[in-house]
């Protein structure tokens, strides 16, 4: 959230605005000024804001549909190229994912129908869009077509757009979730390569090239996340947690933390209250920020971040990773009958997967310690 501004909270979901959104508004104003049409600037900016208002409604379509199935939404962030609703976990039920994915475009269809009906009542037709070039001439027609574009673009069968999730959900009725993700990701990356080819070979289009990169990386990230979830399925937390770890007290100074950071390999630390219960997490990123703000004399209690609810040592690794994802922290306490017996970090999970993959490539089988967990 450090690079985003909180606009407000609607239906229990924070709506954030990324700082780069200001570049879009400034660019639009500059476009009208340098083309000698400053009188169009106000209407142009209002059209942009109206379109992004529809983007917010689109993302709330996803968020509210997800809530219906018990999947909370962390927040909604607006970027110059669109919006992102961050769900706390990805549902692996194809019907649930299909409903959540289609809910966003369905909202834009509803908005387009309402605008079309309103123009009809006013005795006006939709007409051809004029876009930002002449926004004042056909404001509502532009808004209608903008929603149509949002529907079409988001339903392209490529991650991270909704169409990629729709494709995966449909494939998951016949294939495993992991295989469905891999196929959908491959389709998306093929589409991204085609976009890049068109952007470079035709009249050079940097925006289309950026979209191609965005789609390619989004598909790659989604495939990696699905493979990670599949790889940890059936593994107990006990195998992945760290049993030797450093804890901090709320009264410790940042200077003491720096010494511990330099003396060992740990990057994130669990902070304990005087009664021994988890009080927070101090990450290396937050430590660096706090050092710049208060120096080495600052207190850990002023720099730490909230800690997620721990999981029992008997839990499975998939459950722990979901808890870590929901908390948004790279460290999770592991408990046994209320007593802290270990911590789980994103680094040691990655190391476990790296070692597992190395052994599996060499022998063709999962390591014995992991296979026993699934027996």
């Amino acid at each position: 959230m450090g690079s985003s501004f909180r606009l407000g909270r609607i239906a229990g979901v924070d709506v954030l605005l990324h700082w780069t959104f200001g570049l879009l508004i400034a660019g639009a104003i500059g476009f009208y000024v340098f083309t000698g049409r400053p009188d169009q600037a106000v209407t142009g900016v209002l059209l942009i804001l109206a379109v992004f208002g529809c983007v917010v409604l689109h993302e709330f379509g996803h968020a509210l549909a997800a809530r219906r199935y018990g999947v909370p939404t962390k927040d909604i962030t607006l970027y110059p190229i669109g919006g992102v609703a961050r769900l706390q976990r990805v549902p692996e039920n194809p019907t649930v994912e299909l409903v959540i994915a289609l809910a966003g475009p369905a909202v834009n269809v509803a908005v387009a129908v309402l605008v079309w009906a309103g123009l009809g009542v006013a005795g006006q037709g939709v007409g051809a869009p004029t876009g930002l070039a002449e926004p004042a001439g056909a404001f509502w027609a532009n808004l209608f077509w903008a929603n149509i574009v949002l529907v079409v673009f988001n339903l392209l069968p490529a991650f991270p757009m909704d169409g990629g999730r729709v494709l995966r959900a449909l494939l998951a009725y016949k294939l495993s979730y992991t295989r469905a993700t891999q196929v959908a990701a491959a389709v998306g990356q093929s589409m991204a390569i085609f976009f890049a080819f068109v952007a470079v070979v035709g009249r050079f289009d940097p925006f289309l090239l950026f979209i191609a990169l965005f789609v390619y990386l989004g598909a790659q990230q989604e495939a990696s996340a699905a493979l990670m979830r599949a790889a940890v399925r059936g593994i107990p937390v006990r195998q992945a947690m760290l049993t030797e770890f450093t804890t901090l007290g709320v009264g410790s100074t940042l200077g003491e933390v720096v010494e511990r950071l330099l003396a060992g390999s740990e990057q994130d630390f669990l902070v304990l209250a005087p009664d021994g219960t988890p009080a927070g997490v101090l990450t290396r990123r937050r430590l660096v920020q706090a050092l710049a703000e208060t120096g080495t004399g600052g207190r850990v209690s002023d720099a730490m971040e909230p800690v997620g609810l721990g999981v029992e040592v008997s839990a499975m690794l998939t459950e722990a990773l979901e808890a870590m994802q929901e908390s948004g922290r790279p460290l999770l306490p592991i408990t046994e009958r209320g007593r802290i017996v270990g911590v789980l970090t994103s680094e040691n999970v990655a190391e476990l997967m790296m070692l597992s993959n190395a052994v599996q490539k060499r022998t063709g089988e999962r390591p014995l310690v992991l296979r026993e967990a699934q027996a």
Side-chain angles (χ1 to χ4, degrees):
M1 289 180 56
S3 57
S4 301
F5 306 93
R6 187 173 181 268
L7 296 180
R9 189 174 179 84
I10 303 173
V13 179
D14 286 332
V15 179
L16 311 175
L17 185 70
H18 197 265
W19 70 269
T20 52
F21 191 86
L23 299 178
L24 175 64
I25 301 300
I29 294 173
F31 168 76
Y32 292 115
V33 170
F34 288 112
T35 55
R37 293 175 296 166
D39 56 307
Q40 297 277 348
V42 173
T43 308
V45 170
L46 287 177
L47 178 60
I48 291 173
L49 295 178
V51 170
F52 274 87
C54 296
V55 171
V56 172
L57 293 176
H58 174 108
E59 298 304 331
F60 268 103
H62 294 310
L64 296 179
R67 180 180 297 179
R68 180 175 180 271
Y69 291 100
V71 180
T73 300
K74 290 182 178 180
D75 52 53
I76 292 172
T77 304
L78 293 178
Y79 299 91
I81 59 173
V84 175
R86 290 198 304 154
L87 303 184
Q88 287 193 351
R89 61 180 182 274
V90 178
E92 295 192 10
N93 180 303
T95 301
V96 173
E97 181 167 40
L98 188 61
V99 171
I100 294 174
L102 290 175
V107 171
N108 293 119
V109 171
V111 172
V113 169
L114 288 174
V115 172
W116 172 78
L119 288 172
V121 170
Q124 303 176 27
V126 171
T130 59
L132 290 175
E134 297 291 339
F139 183 92
W140 292 105
N142 284 327
L143 191 60
F144 168 85
W145 287 110
N147 276 276
I148 297 300
V149 170
L150 285 173
V151 172
V152 174
F153 178 73
N154 276 285
L155 287 181
L156 291 176
F159 292 116
M161 277 88 77
D162 301 330
R165 305 188 186 284
V166 170
L167 177 59
R168 174 170 63 188
L170 295 175
L171 290 171
Y173 282 111
K174 295 294 185 181
L175 305 174
S176 69
Y177 183 82
T178 302
R179 182 57 184 156
T181 302
Q182 291 175 320
V183 173
V187 171
Q189 289 181 319
S190 299
M191 184 174 294
I193 293 172
F194 174 74
F195 286 164
F197 177 80
V198 172
V200 173
V201 174
R203 190 171 66 176
F204 183 72
D205 188 338
F207 183 72
L208 183 58
L209 191 62
F210 175 77
I211 292 295
L213 180 63
F214 174 72
V215 170
Y216 189 91
L217 294 179
Q220 187 177 56
Q221 183 179 19
E222 194 69 35
S224 298
L227 287 173
M228 169 69 81
R229 289 193 294 272
V232 302
R233 189 172 288 117
I235 302 176
V237 168
R238 189 183 300 275
Q239 288 190 2
M241 71 180 187
L242 293 174
T243 55
E244 296 182 5
F245 55 96
T246 302
T247 60
L248 306 174
V250 290
S252 301
T253 65
L254 298 183
E256 294 171 344
V257 182
V258 170
E259 292 178 1
R260 298 189 184 189
L261 182 69
L262 296 177
S265 59
E266 295 174 82
Q267 299 181 2
D268 307 309
F269 301 93
L270 180 65
V271 183
L272 300 180
D275 62 358
T277 58
V281 172
L282 182 60
T283 63
R284 184 177 62 174
R285 176 190 60 79
R286 181 66 189 113
L287 173 62
V288 172
Q289 291 177 345
L291 286 171
E293 295 166 0
T294 63
T296 56
R299 295 290 174 181
V300 166
S301 57
D302 297 324
M304 67 184 186
E305 299 173 292
V307 63
L309 294 176
V311 299
E312 279 288 314
V313 69
S314 58
M316 303 307 290
L317 189 51
T318 49
E319 179 184 341
L321 290 179
E322 285 184 2
M324 187 181 293
Q325 185 181 14
E326 290 179 8
S327 70
R329 307 288 176 239
L331 183 148
L332 189 74
I334 308 300
T335 60
E336 185 172 23
R337 293 193 288 277
R339 182 175 61 90
I340 297 175
V341 295
V343 295
L344 185 70
T345 69
S346 53
E347 286 81 11
N348 65 291
V349 172
E351 288 173 356
L352 177 69
M353 293 303 98
M354 180 178 64
L355 295 173
S356 173
N357 289 336
V359 173
Q360 191 168 3
K361 285 181 180 179
R362 178 71 178 84
T363 65
E365 297 182 352
R366 299 191 83 186
L368 179 61
V369 67
L370 300 185
R371 284 187 281 125
E372 287 177 346
Q374 291 185 311

